[in-house]
């Protein structure tokens, strides 16, 4: 007879294998927020959006980026960019970067518009529809009509179910200030806007709880702007809605796997049949197939010839002039096959570093355009960058500011003088770009680079290098600031002039060989300390479209002797460039860049920095303002900003003999020496050392 079971005989599952309530709910929520459920919810809400457009007889306009998901491309009449953050409580604002004047064209053609947006669970409508767009409508009415209309038509309209009386009153107090800001930029355009807007704009709000008219109503006193919230409001959790997700298209970067609205609608049936597990793979395949189509260039109105595009798979045919803001220039064969006659590469890295590079590259637009044979031309100009939305927009904005008149005609014969060019003027030209294509919204860093080039010196041409490196002169005598009349023994001896970045760059370029000694002191045992002794040379690179600024190739070779007794050969290369500056006090500065061995090998280039500048790598450090203490014979500088290289932080300082650019008789007779030093203080997770290098001129 078997023994009865005891508690010890029962095997209980381990707690780690038993999901708790929290993890179970999280799993259910993730399954509810699946890609399939999101797309199904979007399709359902899209049917409602179409019914609103039909009921009012008005075209659909997407408030990007969410709105485009709810509108099939064949029904989409345009895009606007109104931010919900501009309508947040206490933060009410009017965007001068995105004026959304393209909506006037839709209103002029159709008499009104249905603007579509959505919001996630917890709200009945997004702040962009309840506050931002109503404020915009009020600003436009007051700016365009002024005192023409009665006060009742010029007031602010907001939805009472979403905006309380107190908030409404606070918002309305800011309207006149917004109107003035708008007029500061767009006052010259008011007659054109007035011709498009026959009567004031009036917003109304539609949700899935609203009753729709049986036939399209007529509003003789105003243009109707229907603000449509696509999704119905969900009060409980998503799991209680049988898979429906409110605001399913919101924050699409987190769930779409790279899918775009247009790609979704083109392949809607395929995507709805795919299992959730297979969705990422299918979407990736669709994206790859779509990329074969090539980039589409956007015409910037009111010009008739300036276009902006992505440089990826761009079709160059049809453009006589091309300007690319890319790390690498287009190949000569591609330009020739496309029939491009004039080409300029503004060498910029991708991302935030590219915006910084743009600051030094933009001044090259001026000599490029001045070299064109004809000033008034109708040939098409293409400006492109990897995204087609950032660096290229900055370059195009500079062109609009420098070479266009108020009608949009481009005259490349002479750059516009700085007189009368201010931030309001730049913003007005920027409005041309965003009105032409609302998606063209550059980063703040890019706009700062454009402002620096156009405004900092109050003369865009002042920051240009005056001559290429190859023609830099060799000074033989010390220049005096003046020639004193009838000097007497009591006259003070004038101090030699402070060296400039150009004079230092000239000295580097015209000295054949430098002898150097480098002391490396490491605080970590993993990195050796020691001394490097050897020689270094600077070789001037020829001026070309790919290398538009003075450029030197630095090459050194020496022997590294460690404190532990080891000894081996050390070689390295850098690229030095004389860059146009961004401030009146420092019109030029010296930048040190890495030498890109990999790209040189890929391009099968062996000499210099390559025929198309393949060897010019990313930025290492930039030399800041030169300074000298009273009575000192040494000029010093620090890097313009501490440079992060990978995970390591580099701080650089330079010291130059005050007369480093001279070759006086005293030096040739051995009474002095031409020298300069550079010190790097490097700190990182696995680095903590200083490097001090002293260079002395080798007298031949």
């Amino acid at each position: 007879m078997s023994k009865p079971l005891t508690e010890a005989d029962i095997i209980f599952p381990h707690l780690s294998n038993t999901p708790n309530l929290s993890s179970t709910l999280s799993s259910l929520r993730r399954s509810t927020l699946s890609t399939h459920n999101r797309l199904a919810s979007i399709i359902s809400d899209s049917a409602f959006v179409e019914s609103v457009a039909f009921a009012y007889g008005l075209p659909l306009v997407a408030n990007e980026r969410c709105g485009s998901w709810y509108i099939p491309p064949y029904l989409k009449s345009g895009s606007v960019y109104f931010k919900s953050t501009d309508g947040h409580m206490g933060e009410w604002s009017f965007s001068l970067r995105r004026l959304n004047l393209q909506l006037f064209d839709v209103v002029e053609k159709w008499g009104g518009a249905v603007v579509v947006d959505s919001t996630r669970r917890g709200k009945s409508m997004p702040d962009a529809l309840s506050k931002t767009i109503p404020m915009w409508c009020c600003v436009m009415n007051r700016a365009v009509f002024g005192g023409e209309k009665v006060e009742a038509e010029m007031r602010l309209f907001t939805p009472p179910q979403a905006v309380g009386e107190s908030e409404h009153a606070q918002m309305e107090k800011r309207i006149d200030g917004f109107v003035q800001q708008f007029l500061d930029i767009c006052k010259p355009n008011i007659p054109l806007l007035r011709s498009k807007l026959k009567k004031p704009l009036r917003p109304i709000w539609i949700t899935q709880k609203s009753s729709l008219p049986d036939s399209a109503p007529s509003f003789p006193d105003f243009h109707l702007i229907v603000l449509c919230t696509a999704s119905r409001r969900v009060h409980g959790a998503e799991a209680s809605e049988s898979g429906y997700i409110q605001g399913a298209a919101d924050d699409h970067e987190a769930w779409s796997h790279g899918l775009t609205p247009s790609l979704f609608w083109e392949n809607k049936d395929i995507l709805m049949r795919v299992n959730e597990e297979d969705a990422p793979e299918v979407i990736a395949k669709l994206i790859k197939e779509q990329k074969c189509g090539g980039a589409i260039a956007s015409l910037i109105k009111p010009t008739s010839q300036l276009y902006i595009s992505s440089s990826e798979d761009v079709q160059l045919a049809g453009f006589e002039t091309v300007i690319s803001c890319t790390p690498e220039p287009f190949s000569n064969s591609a330009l020739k096959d496309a029939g491009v006659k004039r080409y300029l590469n503004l060498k910029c890295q991708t991302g935030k570093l590219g915006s910084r590079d743009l600051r030094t590259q933009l001044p090259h637009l001026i000599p490029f355009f001045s070299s064109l044979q004809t000033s008034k031309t109708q040939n098409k100009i293409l400006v492109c960058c990897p995204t087609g939305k950032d660096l290229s927009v900055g370059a195009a904005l500079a062109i609009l500011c420098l070479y266009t008149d108020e009608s949009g005609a481009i005259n490349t014969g002479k750059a516009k003088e700085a007189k009368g060019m201010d931030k309001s003027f730049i913003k007005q030209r920027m409005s041309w770009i965003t009105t032409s294509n609302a998606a063209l919204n550059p980063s703040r860093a890019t706009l700062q680079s454009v402002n620096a080039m156009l405004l900092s010196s109050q003369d865009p041409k002042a920051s240009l290098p005056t001559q290429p490196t190859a023609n830099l002169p060799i000074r033989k005598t010390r220049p005096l600031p003046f020639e004193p009349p009838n000097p007497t023994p009591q006259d003070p001896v004038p101090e030699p002039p402070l060296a400039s970045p150009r004079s230092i760059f000239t000295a580097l370029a015209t000295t054949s060989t430098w002898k150097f000694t480098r002391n490396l002191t490491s605080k970590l045992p993993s990195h050796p300390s020691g001394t490097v002794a050897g020689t270094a040379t600077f070789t001037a690179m020829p001026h070309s479209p790919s290398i538009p600024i003075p450029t030197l190739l630095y090459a050194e070779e020496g022997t590294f002797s460690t404190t532990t007794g080891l000894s081996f050969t050390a070689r390295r290369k850098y690229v030095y460039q004389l860059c146009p500056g961004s401030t009146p006090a420092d019109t030029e500065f010296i930048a040190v860049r890495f030498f890109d061995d990999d790209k040189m090998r890929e391009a099968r280039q062996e000499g210099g920095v390559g025929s198309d500048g393949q060897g010019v790598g990313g930025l290492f450090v930039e030399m800041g303002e030169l300074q000298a203490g009273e009575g000192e014979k040494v000029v010093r500088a620090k890097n313009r900003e501490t440079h992060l290289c990978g995970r390591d932080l580099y701080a650089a300082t330079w010291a130059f003999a005050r007369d480093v650019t001279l070759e006086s008789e005293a030096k040739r007779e051995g009474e002095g020496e031409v020298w300069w030093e550079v010190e790097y203080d490097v700190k990182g997770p696995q680095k903590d050392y200083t490097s001090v290098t002293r260079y002395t001129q080798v007298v031949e």
Side-chain angles (χ1 to χ4, degrees), residues 25 125 138 148 230 248 256 290 405 502-503 520 608 650 663 679:
L25 292 176
M125 64 181 69
C138 186
E148 292 182 33
S256 65
Q290 186 191 44
D405 59 22
R502 176 169 287 275
S503 65
L520 292 167
Y650 283 73
E663 293 185 11
E679 177 179 345

Side-chain angles (χ1 to χ4, degrees), residues 352-403:
K352 293 182 179 179
L353 293 177
S355 297
R356 187 168 64 175
D357 291 338
L358 190 66
R359 181 173 301 200
T360 63
Q361 294 293 315
L362 282 176
H364 302 302
L365 289 171
I366 295 175
F368 174 73
F369 278 117
S370 65
S371 68
L372 302 184
Q373 295 179 353
T374 57
S375 58
K376 294 184 178 180
T377 174
Q378 294 302 313
N379 295 319
K380 295 197 294 184
I381 302 171
L382 175 67
V383 186
C384 58
C385 70
T387 66
K389 299 177 181 180
D390 189 16
L391 302 180
S392 55
V393 178
L397 176 58
I399 294 171
L400 292 175
C401 291
L402 291 170
Y403 296 106

Side-chain angles (χ1 to χ4, degrees), residues 492-509:
V493 178
E495 284 290 323
L498 184 66
S500 67
R502 176 169 287 275
S503 65
I504 290 174
F505 197 86
T506 302
L508 300 179

Side-chain angles (χ1 to χ4, degrees), residues 540-616:
M541 297 294 101
H543 187 80
S544 71
S546 301
I547 312 174
I549 58 178
T551 300
L552 301 174
L553 174 61
Y554 169 91
E556 71 171 47
E557 181 172 346
T559 301
F560 182 22
S561 302
T562 70
T563 54
T564 59
L566 297 177
S567 180
F568 50 87
T569 301
R571 299 183 181 90
R572 67 171 59 183
K573 292 182 180 180
Y574 288 105
V575 178
Y576 282 58
Q577 292 186 316
L578 183 63
C579 303
S582 58
T583 66
D586 183 17
T587 57
E588 294 177 318
F589 64 91
I590 296 174
V592 184
R593 294 181 173 274
F594 294 105
F595 181 78
D596 199 325
D597 289 287
D598 293 335
K599 289 184 179 178
M600 288 287 287
R601 284 193 294 269
E602 291 172 3
R604 298 182 179 179
Q605 299 284 326
E606 295 183 357
V609 295
S611 57
D612 291 324
Q614 293 93 337
V616 181

Side-chain angles (χ1 to χ4, degrees), residues 6 11 46 115 136 151 226 230 256 296 335 343 371 439 615 625 669:
T6 65
I11 301 176
S46 175
V115 180
W136 180 87
E151 185 176 348
V226 180
S256 65
I296 300 176
L335 296 170
Y343 173 63
S371 68
E625 182 180 358
E669 294 172 2

